[in-house]
């Protein structure tokens, strides 16, 4: 199988697994236990926290481990607007992941003022909308990079536009792929997930800027400095830190390779298929994503394209949610101006450090054939 859906999840790096194994086998102590086995687990957890913090310009106390991006997004939004009472209004961009949009819907149902901000054709929130809602009692949630198109948001400019408002950013797709320095970006909160960068599933983190009085969204034990109850999954945390270390240390090499794969795919698709619309911006985009759709999409069955690729042995996606077995037209692509048909007939290719040029060539040839067959 040719796996070109690395924005959905990635292959666990063998070296990451190696670092995790002792914590799954003999070192099974609870990091909250006071005897030696527990203390060893605690040291491993804190070492991982310090390492991850150092790689994003944060202080270790600003990192709270969670089960992943979904939980981090939910916890930040719900805690800031509810438990912590730090804001009364939530502004989210129209292209956020459902792990931001759905908690925002729930908060709206509970009476919180929620605004969905329009974006430009490149997926960037419009500046006048940012200005309009800026206030010290507003939380903005603006993702660092979009999971469907790969567009990267100018967070430092967003910070300038929103003044003293609070800023959360979903960085699930950017960690390890483009540099992150929480101070330079001006964020108060950030969400991360390990399984998008060759780490294990079920582990992630939230960055919470020092000095913010953050009250836990879920109650239980006092783990994670009372910010996230639940026994720390030591092996997953160790694997998360290993994955971030390997990704950040090799970022330039991997980004160059992934960008070469994406450039090759773009060239081949544009040469082999007529009437293609490229939905990934040519600048300010992740190095590993290419999203395309078709101008005559009303004549093509978007779902059938993905199924035909699957039958040919290529895993690609359109990046949007699959509900009840049928693809929903992407809210992201519609927000940047595509029709429902074009949004349904999108194909997202997302590569990793493991992707080869041969795989790209085979996948592009197959995609040309699939689209050609559907057009006759
Ligand atoms: N945010 C973005 C932008 C994502 O792409 C994803 C995963 O698809 C998530 C959040 C959810 O992350 P997790 O799978 O770790 O819950």
């Amino acid at each position: 199988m040719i796996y070109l859906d690395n924005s959905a999840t990635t292959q666990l790096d063998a070296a990451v697994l190696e670092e995790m194994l002792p914590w799954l086998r003999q070192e099974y102590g609870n990091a909250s236990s006071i005897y030696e086995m527990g203390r060893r687990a605690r040291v491993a957890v804190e070492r991982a926290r310090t390492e991850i913090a150092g790689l994003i310009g944060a202080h270790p106390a600003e990192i709270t481990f969670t089960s992943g991006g979904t939980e981090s997004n939910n916890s930040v939004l719900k805690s800031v607007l509810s438990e912590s009472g730090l804001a009364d209004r939530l502004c989210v961009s129209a292209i956020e992941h459902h792990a931001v949009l759905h908690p925002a819907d729930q908060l709206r149902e509970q009476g919180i003022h929620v605004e969905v901000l329009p974006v430009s054709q490149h997926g960037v929130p419009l500046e006048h909308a940012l200005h309009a809602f800026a206030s010290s009692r507003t939380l903005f949630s603006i993702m660092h990079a979009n999971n469907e198109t790969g567009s990267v948001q100018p967070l430092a400019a967003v910070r300038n536009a929103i003044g003293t408002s609070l800023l959360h950013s979903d960085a699930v797709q950017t960690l390890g792929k483009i540099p992150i320095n929480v101070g330079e970006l001006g964020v108060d909160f950030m969400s991360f997930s390990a399984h998008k960068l060759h780490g294990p599933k079920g582990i992630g983190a939230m960055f919470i800027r020092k000095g913010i009085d953050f009250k836990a969204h879920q109650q239980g034990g006092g783990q994670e400095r009372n910010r996230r109850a639940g026994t720390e999954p030591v092996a997953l945390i160790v694997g998360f830190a290993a994955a971030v270390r390997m990704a950040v240390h090799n970022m330039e090499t991997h980004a160059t390779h992934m960008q070469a794969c994406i450039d090759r795919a773009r060239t081949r698709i544009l040469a082999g298929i007529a009437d293609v619309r490229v939905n990934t911006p040519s600048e300010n985009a992740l190095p590993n994503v290419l999203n395309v759709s078709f101008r005559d999409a009303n004549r093509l069955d978007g779902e059938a394209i993905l199924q035909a690729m699957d039958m040919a042995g290529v895993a690609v996606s359109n990046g949007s949610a699959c509900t009840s077995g049928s693809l929903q037209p992407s809210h992201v692509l519609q927000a940047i101006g595509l029709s429902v048909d074009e949004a349904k007939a999108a194909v997202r290719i997302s590569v990793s450090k493991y992707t080869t040029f041969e795989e790209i060539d085979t996948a592009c040839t197959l995609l040309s054939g699939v689209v050609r067959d559907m057009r006759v």
Side-chain angles (χ1 to χ4, degrees), residues 9 12 20 65-72 192-196 199-205 228 231-237 240:
T9 197
L12 185 68
M20 291 170 64
F65 291 115
T66 65
S67 64
T70 301
E71 186 190 328
S72 295
F192 304 109
S193 179
H195 74 97
K196 309 286 187 183
K201 294 173 184 56
I203 184 71
R228 198 278 188 171
T231 302
E232 286 107 336
V234 182
L236 297 180
I237 289 172
F240 183 18

Side-chain angles (χ1 to χ4, degrees), residues 185-344:
L185 294 174
V187 290
D188 300 297
F189 308 94
M190 252 189 167
S191 300
F192 304 109
S193 179
H195 74 97
K196 309 286 187 183
L197 60 146
H198 306 287
K201 294 173 184 56
I203 184 71
M206 26 185 195
F207 159 77
I208 303 170
R209 179 171 300 293
K210 233 179 175 177
I212 290 179
D213 183 18
F214 186 90
K215 302 210 168 51
H217 171 62
Q218 74 181 31
Q219 279 66 49
Q223 292 92 349
E224 297 296 295
R225 305 168 73 240
N226 285 317
R227 288 178 163 182
R228 198 278 188 171
T231 302
E232 286 107 336
V234 182
L236 297 180
I237 289 172
V238 168
F240 183 18
V244 182
R245 181 197 325 126
M246 289 171 198
V248 171
H249 287 172
N250 299 299
M251 192 182 291
E252 233 178 277
T253 315
H254 292 159
T256 304
H257 171 69
M258 293 190 292
Q259 189 67 62
C261 289
I262 289 299
D263 291 346
R264 192 174 178 105
R266 187 192 285 108
T267 305
R268 297 211 165 212
I269 289 171
L270 289 175
I273 310 176
D275 289 331
V276 172
R277 175 185 167 132
V278 178
N279 301 317
T280 300
S282 47
E283 279 176 14
N284 300 325
L286 290 173
N288 71 320
V289 178
L290 179 68
N291 187 310
V292 297
S293 54
F294 308 98
R295 293 214 173 80
D296 58 342
N298 56 335
R299 295 170 50 214
L300 302 173
D301 180 347
E303 205 164 330
I305 296 176
L306 303 187
Q307 281 166 357
M309 291 298 283
D310 181 27
M311 278 164 60
V314 183
V316 285
S317 162
N318 81 347
S320 72
C322 179
T323 313
S324 320
S326 75
L327 290 175
Q328 302 300 304
S330 151
H331 67 280
V332 173
L333 297 180
Q334 289 182 80
I336 62 169
L338 274 70
S339 68
V340 170
D341 285 331
E342 281 177 310
K344 271 189 180 168

Side-chain angles (χ1 to χ4, degrees), residues 7-9 67-73 96-100 143 145-148 170-173 191-196 202-204 348:
S7 296
T9 197
S67 64
T70 301
E71 186 190 328
S72 295
N73 287 342
E96 294 300 307
H97 191 272
H98 284 140
V100 163
M143 69 200 317
N146 183 264
N147 48 298
E148 293 187 35
D170 176 342
V172 164
Q173 293 291 344
S191 300
F192 304 109
S193 179
H195 74 97
K196 309 286 187 183
I203 184 71
R348 179 188 68 186

Side-chain angles (χ1 to χ4, degrees), residues 130 154-167 185-188:
L130 296 173
L155 285 184
V158 169
R159 161 49 74 204
N160 277 338
I162 64 172
T164 58
S165 311
L166 290 167
L167 178 58
L185 294 174
V187 290
D188 300 297

